[in-house]
């Protein structure tokens, strides 16, 4: 994330500002495994490769698993400890923006199934 965006987002989840081990690991998997896999999926979709559906399922399930762990570790550590109470930071950034990462992979799974 560019510094201004990362600084703003860290108000919604302080684990990004403190370089939390889980967050670093999760973002590394997303950037170095799931990101390139998404490019491979696009190529597979353009070329109508039969494995594209399996790849969509794998990446989407990986994303959902990361989301479960993301919200679960935050809930276990105490949501109030990691997020500010203002509406914009908790409901918009933390819940709605992160909720997109649950809705989109779920839609991809439904598409690929």
């Amino acid at each position: 994330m560019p510094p201004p965006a990362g600084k703003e987002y860290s108000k919604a989840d302080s684990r990004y500002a403190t370089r939390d081990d889980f967050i670093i690991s999760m973002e590394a998997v997303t950037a170095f495994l799931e990101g390139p896999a998404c490019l491979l999926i696009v190529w597979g979709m353009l070329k109508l490769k039969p494995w594209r559906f399996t790849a969509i399922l794998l990446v989407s399930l990986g994303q959902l698993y990361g989301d479960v762990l993301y919200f679960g570790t935050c809930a276990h550590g105490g949501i109030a400890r990691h997020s500010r109470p203002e509406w914009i930071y908790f409901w918009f950034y933390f819940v709605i923006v992160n909720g997109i990462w649950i809705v989109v992979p779920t839609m991809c799974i439904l598409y690929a199934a």
Side-chain angles (χ1 to χ4, degrees):
M1 255 189 245
K7 184 178 178 183
E8 180 68 14
Y9 187 76
S10 68
K11 293 176 184 174
D13 189 343
S14 65
R15 296 177 295 175
Y16 280 87
T18 61
R19 302 209 183 270
D20 180 76
D21 291 338
F22 168 72
I23 295 295
I24 291 172
S25 300
M26 180 191 65
E27 293 297 346
V29 168
T30 300
F32 298 114
L33 294 177
E34 292 176 352
C38 287
L39 294 175
L40 188 64
I41 289 168
V42 170
W43 180 77
M45 291 176 80
L46 291 173
K47 299 294 182 178
L48 301 176
K49 299 290 184 182
W51 49 260
R52 69 190 185 272
F53 298 109
T54 303
I56 290 169
L57 286 171
L58 290 173
V59 169
S60 297
L61 286 172
Q63 189 66 50
L64 286 175
Y65 181 68
D67 293 329
V68 167
L69 291 177
Y70 175 80
F71 284 114
T73 57
C74 188
H76 178 31
I79 293 173
R81 187 174 139 211
H82 297 296
S83 184
R84 291 173 51 165
E86 293 92 346
W87 188 92
I88 186 90
Y89 296 117
F90 180 73
W91 288 106
F92 183 71
Y93 288 157
F94 187 74
V95 175
I96 295 172
V97 171
N98 285 309
I100 292 169
W101 296 110
I102 293 173
V103 172
V104 171
T106 300
M107 291 172 58
C108 290
I109 289 170
L110 294 173
Y111 168 77

